[in-house]
Amino acid sequence: MSVFKPTIGLTAWLAVCVVSIQLSQRPAAAQAAAEPAWQTIRTRDPVSQLDRTSIEQWATAEIGAILAEKAPQAALERGKAFFKSAYGNASAVNATPAFRSTLAEVIAQQFDRQYDIAADPADMGAAIGRIYLLVTMKELKEPGCKDALVKALPDPSPGARAIAAQGLLLIRPAPPELQVWLRPVLPVIQRVGVDETNNAVLARLYRLLETNNGAVAADTLPVAQNILQARFARMATGKSDPLPADAEATAWLAERFSFEQQQGKTDIVKSIGTLLAHAVHMQVNRTLDERTKEQNLTLITAAETQLKDTTQPPAPAPNVLGLLKRGEKPAPDAVAAELAKWIGGNGASGILNAAPFELPPGLGIQRAVAEPEK
């Protein structure tokens, strides 16, 4: 009986990032490295240097072969075998904490040494290999995997990025250790987050920042805001779209609202209002498929609710969602007028333009015509 279970199936994770793989040809995989004496080593506490060397030799050879594999089917089979060996032994009932920690540390170190962040996005075999290695580290849930998972956050494959971020979420400590743990990771989260276009990845990056601890939030809230502001700038030029993950981020900002000084409160409602404005613009001015339309309406619902909760407007509160959810498509001018009750614009003053927020009409959004990035 296993002492712990995978958080998500390998097939589900691979489906995120491997859309199509041609497997008609199955080249022979390189011969697998000799396996350590797992049944003995996994019972050790502590793990001897000799046993660690045995694990290192196996991990070095296998990780190198997996990362070098170009054929998708061979990478798939080799990755599955690696996961089975590593996770299967780590989850055995007689596996000691010392063994699990050592195994994870060795795998992470070898991945860190051999991983190439500049991998070709079109190299499906290499992507599958990286994904299996990252899933292995994610499922081991050991602190020693942290640096390797952080290194993979900018991976060219969105599936790999999502797994790396999820792996970090699974080993993220509680406060007060969280503050020290997060600080070296924050610049990477911001760098990756500002350019991220995949909702699953972005949501996990935001979740790494979310906390109810005031001291930690003092470090992470500015990073979340910086990611949002960069994304808003791209939305204004048509290079990006609002994503549900953005509404998750502003939901956390709304939770922090009452703990902030006035400038912090103003910054929070500005971000929520800006997200609402971009989502409304997308809903009214773009031809969306039904799935995207409903997803965007959910985002609009969330953002408008967050504005109501934070600003506590007098009744009747602005109701952009009410206009958008009517049977007939509302006139753009009517929607713009209702939105202006929140953010101002076209000569009208909105709730966010008045004290205590006193933000500029339209929140200073300057739109430029450009095609959204695919």
Side-chain angles (χ1 to χ4, degrees):
M1 181 177 177
S2 171
V3 295
F4 60 106
K5 297 180 180 179
T7 57
I8 188 165
L10 282 173
T11 303
W13 273 115
L14 287 170
V16 173
C17 58
V18 183
V19 178
S20 174
I21 308 175
Q22 298 299 326
L23 301 178
S24 57
Q25 296 182 347
R26 297 174 54 141
Q31 186 172 348
E35 299 243 352
W38 294 121
Q39 292 188 350
T40 301
I41 294 176
R42 72 191 186 202
T43 65
R44 306 285 200 202
D45 189 3
V47 176
S48 70
Q49 183 57 51
L50 184 63
D51 289 336
R52 183 185 177 99
T53 299
S54 177
I55 297 172
E56 286 175 343
Q57 290 173 344
W58 168 79
T60 300
E62 281 300 298
I63 290 173
I66 290 169
L67 292 176
E69 185 58 67
K70 300 296 184 183
Q73 179 65 25
L76 185 70
E77 292 175 353
R78 192 144 201 163
K80 287 172 67 175
F82 182 88
F83 176 83
K84 183 178 179 180
S85 290
Y87 180 77
N89 283 287
S91 60
V93 291
N94 63 346
T96 64
F99 166 74
R100 289 197 293 268
S101 175
T102 299
L103 176 64
E105 182 181 304
V106 168
I107 290 173
Q109 286 176 348
Q110 292 307 317
F111 178 88
D112 185 59
R113 289 171 184 167
Q114 301 187 57
Y115 171 73
D116 181 9
I117 194 62
D120 181 1
D123 188 342
M124 191 62 71
I128 293 173
R130 296 195 308 276
I131 286 167
Y132 267 103
L133 294 174
L134 288 166
V135 168
T136 300
M137 289 186 282
K138 174 178 74 73
E139 296 301 341
L140 289 176
K141 303 183 187 71
E142 288 287 338
C145 294
K146 176 190 174 185
D147 290 347
L149 293 169
V150 171
K151 188 172 184 177
L153 284 178
D155 191 276
S157 163
R161 296 196 301 274
I163 295 167
Q166 184 65 23
L168 288 168
L169 282 169
L170 292 172
I171 61 173
R172 195 181 87 146
E177 291 82 6
L178 178 58
Q179 188 170 30
V180 174
W181 187 89
L182 266 178
R183 277 180 176 164
V185 188
L186 294 180
V188 183
I189 294 175
Q190 180 168 314
R191 186 169 67 249
V192 174
V194 296
D195 292 325
E196 187 56 66
T197 58
N198 182 279
N199 185 68
V201 180
L202 189 62
R204 285 158 177 79
L205 294 175
Y206 282 138
R207 288 170 199 164
L208 281 167
L209 302 174
E210 294 169 8
T211 176
N212 292 325
N213 181 276
V216 181
D219 291 340
T220 62
L221 193 149
V223 176
Q225 284 281 36
N226 289 342
I227 293 173
L228 284 168
Q229 299 315 310
R231 287 186 46 71
F232 292 154
R234 294 167 69 86
M235 292 175 201
T237 60
K239 293 181 179 179
S240 189
D241 288 334
L243 293 173
D246 296 313
E248 290 186 41
T250 55
W252 175 60
L253 295 183
E255 291 176 4
R256 298 300 309 167
F257 180 82
S258 63
F259 299 100
E260 296 294 310
Q261 299 298 319
Q262 185 54 53
Q263 185 57 55
K265 292 179 178 179
T266 299
D267 292 341
I268 287 172
V269 297
K270 181 180 180 182
S271 288
I272 300 171
T274 303
L275 179 61
L276 175 65
H278 286 304
V280 169
H281 183 269
M282 177 176 169
Q283 196 78 7
V284 172
N285 295 282
R286 297 260 298 279
T287 301
L288 307 175
D289 59 56
E290 286 302 314
R291 179 178 176 278
T292 304
K293 187 184 299 182
E294 287 304 312
Q295 177 179 279
N296 199 47
L297 276 176
T298 301
L299 192 158
I300 290 169
T301 303
E304 192 161 41
T305 300
Q306 292 162 17
L307 278 182
K308 291 175 182 177
D309 290 344
T310 51
T311 65
Q312 296 291 305
N319 190 7
V320 178
L321 181 67
L323 277 180
L324 293 173
K325 294 193 75 171
R326 289 179 183 171
E328 296 182 2
K329 187 173 182 178
D333 288 348
V335 177
E338 194 67 18
L339 178 63
K341 294 178 183 178
W342 281 117
I343 69 171
N346 296 325
S349 182
I351 290 168
L352 300 188
N353 312 129
F357 307 113
E358 299 180 338
L359 290 164
L363 306 184
I365 298 172
Q366 299 292 326
R367 297 195 183 279
V369 178
E371 291 296 321
E373 293 181 350
K374 302 299 183 184

